Amino acid sequence: MLLAPAGGPAFVRLVRRLGPVFAAVGAVVAAVTWPRAFDLEAYLDAARLSAAGGDPYSATLAAGIDDWGQGQVFVSPPFVAHVLAPFSSLPTDVVWVLWTTASLLATGAAIRLLDRDTLVARAPILAFSFVYLWGSLWMGQVNLFAMAGMLLAFGARTDRLAGFGLALAVVTRALPGAFALVLLLERRWRALAWSAVFAGLVVLVRPADWITYFQVAREASGLPTLPVIVQTSLAPYPPLWVAAAVAVAAVVAIGAVVERDRRLLAGTAVGFAIVLLPGNAWHHWLTFAMAPLLLYGDGGAWSRATLLALVVVSILPIGALSAAVTIIALVAVVAVSARGLRDEWPRIRARGAGILGRP
């Protein structure tokens, strides 16, 4: 069988064997189908405005909301423009090389700092098996920094590193803030406190830019489904949207009472919920959304199958197919969570009886 008896070492060996093949295919697919430095050019435009002391979103606001999501406009958190501002006078090709190198170094450093029992620490090639990673590198996106942050948030050895990781993901991509819900379920108060400290320090650099960003983000949240092939939002299909919303809510609720695999189950559900948001696209799957699977996906048959399915489907630039795989994975998460709740129900009832004082 492809997934082997109980996962674990057998699945790691499978990933190590097939990973280089998928990585090579992914690099080629990204290079021939994705526009190089497309997103980086938008970042640099904002960085030049920031370097001149201006508002990095002035060009975005001037372009109008109809161009957002299709043209080269800056809608990322201002931290990205602030970081690139010192390099904004350099040629785009030079910055692209530096940005790509920094992205790879950040990912490698995060993997090195993970608990060594996690899946991606034992088989780093897994992260590079996704076409999405190569697409992000090719287009100069900020996604690898967000992925590095989320890997630390859920797999770091200390709460301080976990807090730093969540903060890094939030200030680079914003939406990873939703994963704080998983840390809340785990009662990781110290990690959340460190995250607030690190993110707060970043915001204090130029708080006015963050106020403008929240305005941009609020307007962008009302965008309709984009007419691009990588769009995965289910907003035009109310029955599927409702089903996905119910599935995510169910998994998170179950995660609140079932401790076993809470980080994997609730984290995966939150990740898929983010992917299905209007205006999002499948090339963001590899980053923050898939971090729990990259870390703990070898723990069960459903998660191993989901990982392999995502690796395969990432080769196909078809948004509808990617959305279908997402729904299948959500159903699998709910099914496994329900089984976990069934297995844990006697202990939950006993704990509730003790609280109520029932004999």
Side-chain angles (χ1 to χ4, degrees):
M1 289 178 60
L2 182 61
L3 293 179
F11 186 71
V12 171
R13 288 194 297 271
L14 176 67
V15 171
R16 289 173 177 169
R17 189 178 304 121
L18 298 181
V21 177
F22 281 108
V25 172
V28 172
V29 170
V32 301
T33 60
W34 297 46
R36 190 174 70 84
F38 182 82
D39 287 85
L40 181 60
E41 289 178 353
Y43 299 163
L44 286 175
D45 288 341
R48 294 184 187 101
L49 293 171
S50 183
D55 180 355
Y57 299 100
S58 58
T60 299
L61 294 171
I65 193 170
D66 290 339
D67 286 340
W68 297 5
Q70 300 182 64
Q72 289 177 301
V73 293
F74 183 67
V75 293
S76 297
F79 176 72
V80 180
H82 298 166
V83 168
L84 285 171
F87 309 97
S88 58
S89 62
L90 296 175
T92 300
D93 288 342
V94 173
V95 179
W96 180 79
V97 171
L98 295 174
W99 190 246
T100 300
T101 302
S103 298
L104 291 171
L105 288 175
T107 303
I111 292 174
R112 290 284 295 176
L113 292 170
L114 295 175
D115 187 316
R116 304 323 296 169
D117 290 334
T118 56
L119 173 59
V120 74
R122 288 178 289 151
I125 192 64
L126 176 61
F128 296 86
S129 300
F130 288 84
V131 171
Y132 313 141
L133 181 140
W134 298 102
S136 290
L137 284 174
W138 192 248
M139 294 202 298
Q141 292 177 337
V142 73
N143 286 346
L144 268 74
F145 294 101
M147 181 177 74
M150 287 313 306
L151 290 176
L152 289 175
F154 286 131
R157 302 165 192 166
T158 68
D159 284 334
R160 183 180 301 179
L161 271 176
F164 171 78
L166 180 60
L168 175 63
V170 169
V171 299
T172 53
R173 283 288 302 175
L175 284 176
F179 284 100
L181 176 61
V182 182
L183 298 183
L184 283 171
L185 292 178
E186 293 185 309
R187 296 176 175 82
R188 298 184 64 188
W189 311 122
R190 292 184 63 184
L192 288 167
W194 277 114
S195 178
V197 169
F198 288 126
L201 291 174
V202 171
V203 171
L204 287 175
V205 173
R206 289 183 65 172
D209 289 348
W210 286 91
I211 294 174
T212 306
Y213 169 69
F214 292 135
Q215 174 190 343
V216 170
R218 184 174 62 252
E219 295 188 27
S221 66
L223 283 172
T225 301
L226 304 177
V228 290
I229 61 173
V230 296
Q231 181 64 47
T232 58
S233 171
L234 299 180
Y237 313 106
L240 292 180
W241 184 87
V242 172
V246 170
V248 170
V251 175
V252 173
I254 291 170
V257 294
V258 176
E259 296 181 8
R260 190 177 64 182
D261 295 331
R262 174 184 288 162
R263 190 173 297 180
L264 173 62
L265 294 171
T268 300
V270 172
F272 282 126
I274 291 174
V275 169
L276 294 174
L277 283 174
N280 218 337
W282 57 259
H283 58 264
H284 299 305
W285 282 15
L286 93 139
T287 56
F288 52 86
M290 292 300 100
L293 277 171
L294 291 175
L295 288 164
Y296 307 110
D298 59 329
W302 73 270
S303 54
R304 297 194 297 272
T306 300
L307 264 174
L308 291 179
L310 292 175
V311 168
V312 171
V313 80
S314 75
I315 299 173
L316 306 172
I318 303 173
L321 180 58
S322 297
V325 173
T326 302
I327 294 298
I328 292 171
L330 276 173
V331 171
V333 171
V334 173
V336 174
S337 297
R339 186 177 65 185
L341 179 60
R342 181 197 63 195
D343 295 342
E344 296 284 334
W345 185 244
R347 190 172 70 173
I348 293 172
R349 288 189 62 186
R351 186 168 56 191
I355 293 174
L356 295 174
R358 197 174 65 193

